[in-house]
Amino acid sequence: AQSVSQHNHHVILSEAASLELGCNYSYGGTVNLFWYVQYPGQHLQLLLKYFSGDPLVKGIKGFEAEFIKSKFSFNLRKPSVQWSDTAEYFCAVSMGYKYIFGTGTRLKVLA
Amino acid sequence: GAVVSQHPSRVICKSGTSVKIECRSLDFQATTMFWYRQFPKQSLMLMATSNEGSKATYEQGVEKDKFLINHASLTLSTLTVTSAHPEDSSFYICSAGIDRVAKNIQYFGAGTRLSVL
């Protein structure tokens, strides 16, 4: 069965530290890849997406992700986090219309 | 744009009662709507997919008679948890998709926390 793994469940960083959140999926076919963010008390918001083309994708708020097909990975990065990045981050893979989500990573940024 | 409203945000009910959750796409017509369930510290699990005017497609293991889904218009889908029991307590999230083809992007509601006493 298809699955999405997020390796880090909880991450704590100080402001200005660099961030990398891992995401791996298991599916051999064509996929579309997403990162969503959920700020406390708010709904899931799309950070960035990959459909095709340049494997390095830039999203909102300074986030980027790199699709490495050979590693089935789509890791999220940000060079310098801010306190306001404190949130839960979900990686998702879609095959057609159906999404499969990872378990999420709770990021806490210390001011 | 692409705002999805979900109501109510929180509901507490007695065991045996039914609860209806609404999901509306406010500024676009959603060809497909999705219902997810999220257990504490776990991922979002897709429960069912609904297309306007047709019966919902339920994921394996989801009881269609317990979780009734109606998608009467392109902007409204409802999930009714019938005869709710404490084990139905969870966080329910809806989403709406704009495109039927492979590049579907889903926009999410804020979720409904259901507590069954």
Side-chain angles (χ1 to χ4, degrees), chain A residues 32-70:
Chain A
N32 299 317
L33 300 155
F34 306 83
W35 275 97
Y36 282 84
V37 60
Q38 188 172 30
Y39 297 103
Q42 296 188 29
H43 61 276
L44 282 164
Q45 298 175 39
L46 181 65
L47 264 183
L48 47 78
K49 61 187 182 293
Y50 173 80
F51 290 154
S52 63
D54 188 344
L56 185 61
V57 180
K58 294 194 183 299
I60 60 171
K61 305 186 181 188
F63 286 90
E64 64 179 32
E66 185 175 13
F67 170 52
I68 303 179
K69 190 174 181 180
S70 60

mmCIF file of all heavy atoms in Angstrom, chain A residues 32-70:
data_model
loop_
_atom_site.group_PDB
_atom_site.id
_atom_site.type_symbol
_atom_site.label_atom_id
_atom_site.label_comp_id
_atom_site.label_asym_id
_atom_site.label_seq_id
_atom_site.Cartn_x
_atom_site.Cartn_y
_atom_site.Cartn_z
ATOM 1 N N ASN A 32 2.009 13.533 -7.426
ATOM 2 C CA ASN A 32 2.084 14.959 -7.150
ATOM 3 C C ASN A 32 2.367 15.104 -5.664
ATOM 4 O O ASN A 32 1.877 14.330 -4.846
ATOM 5 C CB ASN A 32 0.770 15.651 -7.506
ATOM 6 C CG ASN A 32 0.440 15.505 -8.985
ATOM 7 O OD1 ASN A 32 1.312 15.647 -9.833
ATOM 8 N ND2 ASN A 32 -0.807 15.195 -9.283
ATOM 9 N N LEU A 33 3.174 16.070 -5.307
ATOM 10 C CA LEU A 33 3.668 16.181 -3.933
ATOM 11 C C LEU A 33 3.328 17.542 -3.351
ATOM 12 O O LEU A 33 3.391 18.556 -4.051
ATOM 13 C CB LEU A 33 5.186 15.967 -3.920
ATOM 14 C CG LEU A 33 5.620 14.587 -4.447
ATOM 15 C CD1 LEU A 33 7.036 14.641 -4.976
ATOM 16 C CD2 LEU A 33 5.522 13.552 -3.341
ATOM 17 N N PHE A 34 3.004 17.546 -2.074
ATOM 18 C CA PHE A 34 2.562 18.771 -1.414
ATOM 19 C C PHE A 34 3.162 18.850 -0.013
ATOM 20 O O PHE A 34 3.422 17.845 0.630
ATOM 21 C CB PHE A 34 1.032 18.782 -1.252
ATOM 22 C CG PHE A 34 0.268 18.553 -2.526
ATOM 23 C CD1 PHE A 34 0.039 17.268 -2.995
ATOM 24 C CD2 PHE A 34 -0.240 19.617 -3.240
ATOM 25 C CE1 PHE A 34 -0.670 17.044 -4.165
ATOM 26 C CE2 PHE A 34 -0.969 19.405 -4.408
ATOM 27 C CZ PHE A 34 -1.172 18.125 -4.865
ATOM 28 N N TRP A 35 3.336 20.074 0.431
ATOM 29 C CA TRP A 35 3.546 20.350 1.840
ATOM 30 C C TRP A 35 2.468 21.319 2.278
ATOM 31 O O TRP A 35 2.250 22.355 1.645
ATOM 32 C CB TRP A 35 4.922 20.970 2.106
ATOM 33 C CG TRP A 35 6.014 19.961 2.256
ATOM 34 C CD1 TRP A 35 6.896 19.544 1.310
ATOM 35 C CD2 TRP A 35 6.354 19.243 3.454
ATOM 36 N NE1 TRP A 35 7.754 18.605 1.833
ATOM 37 C CE2 TRP A 35 7.449 18.408 3.150
ATOM 38 C CE3 TRP A 35 5.851 19.234 4.764
ATOM 39 C CZ2 TRP A 35 8.048 17.562 4.088
ATOM 40 C CZ3 TRP A 35 6.436 18.397 5.703
ATOM 41 C CH2 TRP A 35 7.523 17.579 5.364
ATOM 42 N N TYR A 36 1.812 20.950 3.387
ATOM 43 C CA TYR A 36 0.801 21.810 3.980
ATOM 44 C C TYR A 36 1.277 22.215 5.365
ATOM 45 O O TYR A 36 1.993 21.472 6.037
ATOM 46 C CB TYR A 36 -0.540 21.077 4.122
ATOM 47 C CG TYR A 36 -1.335 20.977 2.839
ATOM 48 C CD1 TYR A 36 -1.092 19.959 1.924
ATOM 49 C CD2 TYR A 36 -2.338 21.899 2.555
ATOM 50 C CE1 TYR A 36 -1.837 19.871 0.750
ATOM 51 C CE2 TYR A 36 -3.086 21.812 1.384
ATOM 52 C CZ TYR A 36 -2.823 20.793 0.494
ATOM 53 O OH TYR A 36 -3.558 20.713 -0.665
ATOM 54 N N VAL A 37 0.827 23.368 5.811
ATOM 55 C CA VAL A 37 1.146 23.838 7.156
ATOM 56 C C VAL A 37 -0.165 24.129 7.894
ATOM 57 O O VAL A 37 -1.141 24.586 7.300
ATOM 58 C CB VAL A 37 2.033 25.104 7.123
ATOM 59 C CG1 VAL A 37 1.342 26.261 6.403
ATOM 60 C CG2 VAL A 37 2.430 25.527 8.528
ATOM 61 N N GLN A 38 -0.161 23.810 9.161
ATOM 62 C CA GLN A 38 -1.334 24.099 9.991
ATOM 63 C C GLN A 38 -0.873 24.889 11.209
ATOM 64 O O GLN A 38 -0.230 24.336 12.109
ATOM 65 C CB GLN A 38 -2.022 22.801 10.415
ATOM 66 C CG GLN A 38 -3.355 23.023 11.129
ATOM 67 C CD GLN A 38 -4.104 21.724 11.353
ATOM 68 O OE1 GLN A 38 -3.511 20.661 11.511
ATOM 69 N NE2 GLN A 38 -5.432 21.792 11.371
ATOM 70 N N TYR A 39 -1.163 26.183 11.208
ATOM 71 C CA TYR A 39 -0.832 27.012 12.357
ATOM 72 C C TYR A 39 -1.834 26.739 13.458
ATOM 73 O O TYR A 39 -2.960 26.314 13.188
ATOM 74 C CB TYR A 39 -0.835 28.486 11.966
ATOM 75 C CG TYR A 39 0.209 28.812 10.926
ATOM 76 C CD1 TYR A 39 -0.136 28.993 9.591
ATOM 77 C CD2 TYR A 39 1.557 28.900 11.275
ATOM 78 C CE1 TYR A 39 0.818 29.258 8.629
ATOM 79 C CE2 TYR A 39 2.525 29.157 10.318
ATOM 80 C CZ TYR A 39 2.149 29.332 8.998
ATOM 81 O OH TYR A 39 3.103 29.589 8.042
ATOM 82 N N PRO A 40 -1.455 26.964 14.698
ATOM 83 C CA PRO A 40 -2.351 26.657 15.818
ATOM 84 C C PRO A 40 -3.740 27.249 15.641
ATOM 85 O O PRO A 40 -3.885 28.447 15.400
ATOM 86 C CB PRO A 40 -1.614 27.267 17.019
ATOM 87 C CG PRO A 40 -0.174 27.239 16.633
ATOM 88 C CD PRO A 40 -0.149 27.492 15.155
ATOM 89 N N GLY A 41 -4.743 26.412 15.706
ATOM 90 C CA GLY A 41 -6.125 26.863 15.610
ATOM 91 C C GLY A 41 -6.586 27.216 14.215
ATOM 92 O O GLY A 41 -7.690 27.738 14.044
ATOM 93 N N GLN A 42 -5.778 26.938 13.221
ATOM 94 C CA GLN A 42 -6.159 27.299 11.863
ATOM 95 C C GLN A 42 -6.241 26.061 10.963
ATOM 96 O O GLN A 42 -5.906 24.960 11.360
ATOM 97 C CB GLN A 42 -5.155 28.295 11.272
ATOM 98 C CG GLN A 42 -5.124 29.623 12.015
ATOM 99 C CD GLN A 42 -4.274 30.644 11.294
ATOM 100 O OE1 GLN A 42 -4.143 30.618 10.061
ATOM 101 N NE2 GLN A 42 -3.691 31.550 12.048
ATOM 102 N N HIS A 43 -6.711 26.288 9.741
ATOM 103 C CA HIS A 43 -6.872 25.174 8.810
ATOM 104 C C HIS A 43 -5.563 24.901 8.072
ATOM 105 O O HIS A 43 -4.637 25.698 8.115
ATOM 106 C CB HIS A 43 -7.984 25.488 7.811
ATOM 107 C CG HIS A 43 -7.700 26.708 6.986
ATOM 108 N ND1 HIS A 43 -7.979 27.976 7.413
ATOM 109 C CD2 HIS A 43 -7.162 26.846 5.747
ATOM 110 C CE1 HIS A 43 -7.631 28.841 6.506
ATOM 111 N NE2 HIS A 43 -7.129 28.205 5.476
ATOM 112 N N LEU A 44 -5.514 23.767 7.430
ATOM 113 C CA LEU A 44 -4.366 23.419 6.616
ATOM 114 C C LEU A 44 -4.214 24.402 5.456
ATOM 115 O O LEU A 44 -5.178 24.702 4.758
ATOM 116 C CB LEU A 44 -4.548 22.015 6.038
ATOM 117 C CG LEU A 44 -4.289 20.844 6.979
ATOM 118 C CD1 LEU A 44 -4.874 19.570 6.415
ATOM 119 C CD2 LEU A 44 -2.805 20.673 7.221
ATOM 120 N N GLN A 45 -2.998 24.873 5.259
ATOM 121 C CA GLN A 45 -2.732 25.791 4.152
ATOM 122 C C GLN A 45 -1.633 25.202 3.276
ATOM 123 O O GLN A 45 -0.675 24.626 3.784
ATOM 124 C CB GLN A 45 -2.257 27.145 4.679
ATOM 125 C CG GLN A 45 -3.257 27.865 5.544
ATOM 126 C CD GLN A 45 -2.679 29.128 6.127
ATOM 127 O OE1 GLN A 45 -1.942 29.848 5.448
ATOM 128 N NE2 GLN A 45 -2.982 29.410 7.376
ATOM 129 N N LEU A 46 -1.766 25.381 1.981
ATOM 130 C CA LEU A 46 -0.779 24.862 1.054
ATOM 131 C C LEU A 46 0.490 25.716 1.099
ATOM 132 O O LEU A 46 0.444 26.927 0.905
ATOM 133 C CB LEU A 46 -1.361 24.859 -0.359
ATOM 134 C CG LEU A 46 -0.458 24.314 -1.463
ATOM 135 C CD1 LEU A 46 -0.185 22.820 -1.241
ATOM 136 C CD2 LEU A 46 -1.099 24.527 -2.827
ATOM 137 N N LEU A 47 1.625 25.076 1.378
ATOM 138 C CA LEU A 47 2.914 25.759 1.381
ATOM 139 C C LEU A 47 3.533 25.739 -0.003
ATOM 140 O O LEU A 47 4.040 26.753 -0.484
ATOM 141 C CB LEU A 47 3.884 25.051 2.336
ATOM 142 C CG LEU A 47 4.061 25.559 3.751
ATOM 143 C CD1 LEU A 47 5.129 24.727 4.438
ATOM 144 C CD2 LEU A 47 4.412 27.029 3.797
ATOM 145 N N LEU A 48 3.545 24.565 -0.596
ATOM 146 C CA LEU A 48 4.102 24.423 -1.930
ATOM 147 C C LEU A 48 3.675 23.078 -2.509
ATOM 148 O O LEU A 48 3.178 22.215 -1.788
ATOM 149 C CB LEU A 48 5.634 24.544 -1.901
ATOM 150 C CG LEU A 48 6.417 23.760 -0.856
ATOM 151 C CD1 LEU A 48 6.558 22.308 -1.239
ATOM 152 C CD2 LEU A 48 7.788 24.380 -0.632
ATOM 153 N N LYS A 49 3.887 22.958 -3.805
ATOM 154 C CA LYS A 49 3.476 21.739 -4.495
ATOM 155 C C LYS A 49 4.445 21.449 -5.617
ATOM 156 O O LYS A 49 5.097 22.353 -6.156
ATOM 157 C CB LYS A 49 2.061 21.883 -5.043
ATOM 158 C CG LYS A 49 1.899 23.014 -6.067
ATOM 159 C CD LYS A 49 0.464 23.210 -6.443
ATOM 160 C CE LYS A 49 0.318 24.301 -7.511
ATOM 161 N NZ LYS A 49 0.675 25.632 -7.007
ATOM 162 N N TYR A 50 4.537 20.175 -5.960
ATOM 163 C CA TYR A 50 5.332 19.754 -7.106
ATOM 164 C C TYR A 50 4.468 18.871 -7.987
ATOM 165 O O TYR A 50 3.924 17.862 -7.531
ATOM 166 C CB TYR A 50 6.577 18.983 -6.666
ATOM 167 C CG TYR A 50 7.318 18.393 -7.847
ATOM 168 C CD1 TYR A 50 8.162 19.183 -8.618
ATOM 169 C CD2 TYR A 50 7.136 17.056 -8.213
ATOM 170 C CE1 TYR A 50 8.806 18.655 -9.713
ATOM 171 C CE2 TYR A 50 7.784 16.531 -9.309
ATOM 172 C CZ TYR A 50 8.619 17.332 -10.063
ATOM 173 O OH TYR A 50 9.256 16.813 -11.170
ATOM 174 N N PHE A 51 4.398 19.249 -9.257
ATOM 175 C CA PHE A 51 3.690 18.417 -10.234
ATOM 176 C C PHE A 51 4.679 17.851 -11.242
ATOM 177 O O PHE A 51 4.644 16.676 -11.581
ATOM 178 C CB PHE A 51 2.614 19.229 -10.959
ATOM 179 C CG PHE A 51 1.440 19.598 -10.103
ATOM 180 C CD1 PHE A 51 0.678 20.720 -10.385
ATOM 181 C CD2 PHE A 51 1.078 18.836 -9.011
ATOM 182 C CE1 PHE A 51 -0.411 21.067 -9.604
ATOM 183 C CE2 PHE A 51 -0.005 19.168 -8.222
ATOM 184 C CZ PHE A 51 -0.752 20.293 -8.518
ATOM 185 N N SER A 52 5.543 18.711 -11.762
ATOM 186 C CA SER A 52 6.533 18.282 -12.754
ATOM 187 C C SER A 52 7.525 19.418 -12.937
ATOM 188 O O SER A 52 7.380 20.494 -12.362
ATOM 189 C CB SER A 52 5.864 17.934 -14.083
ATOM 190 O OG SER A 52 5.227 19.074 -14.637
ATOM 191 N N GLY A 53 8.581 19.167 -13.721
ATOM 192 C CA GLY A 53 9.531 20.218 -14.024
ATOM 193 C C GLY A 53 10.657 20.295 -13.012
ATOM 194 O O GLY A 53 11.123 19.275 -12.496
ATOM 195 N N ASP A 54 11.085 21.494 -12.723
ATOM 196 C CA ASP A 54 12.212 21.729 -11.815
ATOM 197 C C ASP A 54 11.930 21.058 -10.470
ATOM 198 O O ASP A 54 10.929 21.375 -9.813
ATOM 199 C CB ASP A 54 12.399 23.232 -11.620
ATOM 200 C CG ASP A 54 13.667 23.580 -10.845
ATOM 201 O OD1 ASP A 54 14.248 22.680 -10.193
ATOM 202 O OD2 ASP A 54 14.075 24.752 -10.890
ATOM 203 N N PRO A 55 12.811 20.159 -10.045
ATOM 204 C CA PRO A 55 12.548 19.439 -8.789
ATOM 205 C C PRO A 55 12.711 20.302 -7.544
ATOM 206 O O PRO A 55 12.331 19.889 -6.459
ATOM 207 C CB PRO A 55 13.574 18.311 -8.822
ATOM 208 C CG PRO A 55 14.650 18.801 -9.707
ATOM 209 C CD PRO A 55 13.998 19.672 -10.734
ATOM 210 N N LEU A 56 13.287 21.468 -7.699
ATOM 211 C CA LEU A 56 13.396 22.383 -6.561
ATOM 212 C C LEU A 56 12.237 23.365 -6.642
ATOM 213 O O LEU A 56 12.153 24.184 -7.555
ATOM 214 C CB LEU A 56 14.740 23.121 -6.591
ATOM 215 C CG LEU A 56 15.024 24.019 -5.402
ATOM 216 C CD1 LEU A 56 15.049 23.203 -4.096
ATOM 217 C CD2 LEU A 56 16.348 24.751 -5.580
ATOM 218 N N VAL A 57 11.373 23.265 -5.671
ATOM 219 C CA VAL A 57 10.138 24.039 -5.688
ATOM 220 C C VAL A 57 10.180 25.105 -4.600
ATOM 221 O O VAL A 57 10.530 24.807 -3.461
ATOM 222 C CB VAL A 57 8.927 23.110 -5.433
ATOM 223 C CG1 VAL A 57 7.644 23.913 -5.447
ATOM 224 C CG2 VAL A 57 8.879 22.002 -6.466
ATOM 225 N N LYS A 58 9.823 26.304 -4.964
ATOM 226 C CA LYS A 58 9.768 27.375 -3.960
ATOM 227 C C LYS A 58 8.306 27.638 -3.605
ATOM 228 O O LYS A 58 7.433 27.683 -4.480
ATOM 229 C CB LYS A 58 10.430 28.628 -4.498
ATOM 230 C CG LYS A 58 11.937 28.443 -4.708
ATOM 231 C CD LYS A 58 12.663 29.746 -4.903
ATOM 232 C CE LYS A 58 14.145 29.500 -5.182
ATOM 233 N NZ LYS A 58 14.815 28.797 -4.056
ATOM 234 N N GLY A 59 8.067 27.802 -2.304
ATOM 235 C CA GLY A 59 6.713 28.052 -1.854
ATOM 236 C C GLY A 59 6.599 29.398 -1.165
ATOM 237 O O GLY A 59 7.459 30.266 -1.317
ATOM 238 N N ILE A 60 5.563 29.516 -0.363
ATOM 239 C CA ILE A 60 5.336 30.762 0.345
ATOM 240 C C ILE A 60 6.201 30.838 1.598
ATOM 241 O O ILE A 60 6.713 29.820 2.075
ATOM 242 C CB ILE A 60 3.853 30.927 0.717
ATOM 243 C CG1 ILE A 60 3.397 29.781 1.631
ATOM 244 C CG2 ILE A 60 2.986 30.982 -0.535
ATOM 245 C CD1 ILE A 60 2.012 29.986 2.205
ATOM 246 N N LYS A 61 6.383 32.028 2.094
ATOM 247 C CA LYS A 61 7.051 32.283 3.378
ATOM 248 C C LYS A 61 8.482 31.771 3.411
ATOM 249 O O LYS A 61 8.990 31.419 4.482
ATOM 250 C CB LYS A 61 6.232 31.702 4.527
ATOM 251 C CG LYS A 61 4.792 32.203 4.540
ATOM 252 C CD LYS A 61 4.015 31.764 5.738
ATOM 253 C CE LYS A 61 2.587 32.301 5.632
ATOM 254 N NZ LYS A 61 1.801 32.082 6.843
ATOM 255 N N GLY A 62 9.140 31.714 2.276
ATOM 256 C CA GLY A 62 10.550 31.354 2.241
ATOM 257 C C GLY A 62 10.844 29.864 2.277
ATOM 258 O O GLY A 62 11.999 29.453 2.376
ATOM 259 N N PHE A 63 9.801 29.050 2.191
ATOM 260 C CA PHE A 63 10.000 27.606 2.199
ATOM 261 C C PHE A 63 10.310 27.100 0.786
ATOM 262 O O PHE A 63 9.869 27.672 -0.210
ATOM 263 C CB PHE A 63 8.751 26.886 2.715
ATOM 264 C CG PHE A 63 8.563 27.001 4.196
ATOM 265 C CD1 PHE A 63 7.826 28.048 4.732
ATOM 266 C CD2 PHE A 63 9.129 26.069 5.054
ATOM 267 C CE1 PHE A 63 7.657 28.172 6.105
ATOM 268 C CE2 PHE A 63 8.957 26.174 6.422
ATOM 269 C CZ PHE A 63 8.222 27.223 6.948
ATOM 270 N N GLU A 64 11.067 26.016 0.732
ATOM 271 C CA GLU A 64 11.315 25.335 -0.516
ATOM 272 C C GLU A 64 11.371 23.835 -0.257
ATOM 273 O O GLU A 64 11.542 23.394 0.893
ATOM 274 C CB GLU A 64 12.617 25.806 -1.172
ATOM 275 C CG GLU A 64 13.863 25.507 -0.373
ATOM 276 C CD GLU A 64 15.120 25.975 -1.092
ATOM 277 O OE1 GLU A 64 15.081 26.974 -1.825
ATOM 278 O OE2 GLU A 64 16.156 25.302 -0.905
ATOM 279 N N ALA A 65 11.221 23.069 -1.310
ATOM 280 C CA ALA A 65 11.309 21.617 -1.175
ATOM 281 C C ALA A 65 11.966 21.062 -2.422
ATOM 282 O O ALA A 65 11.839 21.619 -3.510
ATOM 283 C CB ALA A 65 9.922 20.996 -0.983
ATOM 284 N N GLU A 66 12.666 19.957 -2.225
ATOM 285 C CA GLU A 66 13.349 19.325 -3.340
ATOM 286 C C GLU A 66 12.825 17.919 -3.545
ATOM 287 O O GLU A 66 12.810 17.104 -2.605
ATOM 288 C CB GLU A 66 14.853 19.287 -3.112
ATOM 289 C CG GLU A 66 15.612 18.733 -4.330
ATOM 290 C CD GLU A 66 17.110 18.795 -4.170
ATOM 291 O OE1 GLU A 66 17.590 19.035 -3.045
ATOM 292 O OE2 GLU A 66 17.812 18.571 -5.172
ATOM 293 N N PHE A 67 12.395 17.635 -4.747
ATOM 294 C CA PHE A 67 11.920 16.312 -5.126
ATOM 295 C C PHE A 67 13.108 15.530 -5.653
ATOM 296 O O PHE A 67 13.755 15.923 -6.625
ATOM 297 C CB PHE A 67 10.830 16.426 -6.197
ATOM 298 C CG PHE A 67 10.431 15.122 -6.828
ATOM 299 C CD1 PHE A 67 10.075 14.032 -6.045
ATOM 300 C CD2 PHE A 67 10.394 14.978 -8.210
ATOM 301 C CE1 PHE A 67 9.690 12.837 -6.620
ATOM 302 C CE2 PHE A 67 10.008 13.783 -8.799
ATOM 303 C CZ PHE A 67 9.661 12.706 -8.000
ATOM 304 N N ILE A 68 13.426 14.420 -4.978
ATOM 305 C CA ILE A 68 14.482 13.532 -5.445
ATOM 306 C C ILE A 68 13.822 12.201 -5.782
ATOM 307 O O ILE A 68 13.508 11.405 -4.883
ATOM 308 C CB ILE A 68 15.609 13.354 -4.413
ATOM 309 C CG1 ILE A 68 16.203 14.717 -4.049
ATOM 310 C CG2 ILE A 68 16.687 12.441 -4.967
ATOM 311 C CD1 ILE A 68 17.313 14.652 -3.015
ATOM 312 N N LYS A 69 13.613 11.989 -7.054
ATOM 313 C CA LYS A 69 12.840 10.826 -7.495
ATOM 314 C C LYS A 69 13.498 9.510 -7.087
ATOM 315 O O LYS A 69 12.825 8.569 -6.666
ATOM 316 C CB LYS A 69 12.651 10.868 -9.015
ATOM 317 C CG LYS A 69 11.677 9.839 -9.550
ATOM 318 C CD LYS A 69 11.445 10.053 -11.031
ATOM 319 C CE LYS A 69 10.441 9.022 -11.555
ATOM 320 N NZ LYS A 69 10.188 9.203 -13.007
ATOM 321 N N SER A 70 14.819 9.456 -7.199
ATOM 322 C CA SER A 70 15.522 8.215 -6.911
ATOM 323 C C SER A 70 15.437 7.840 -5.431
ATOM 324 O O SER A 70 15.573 6.671 -5.073
ATOM 325 C CB SER A 70 16.995 8.338 -7.306
ATOM 326 O OG SER A 70 17.609 9.387 -6.589
#
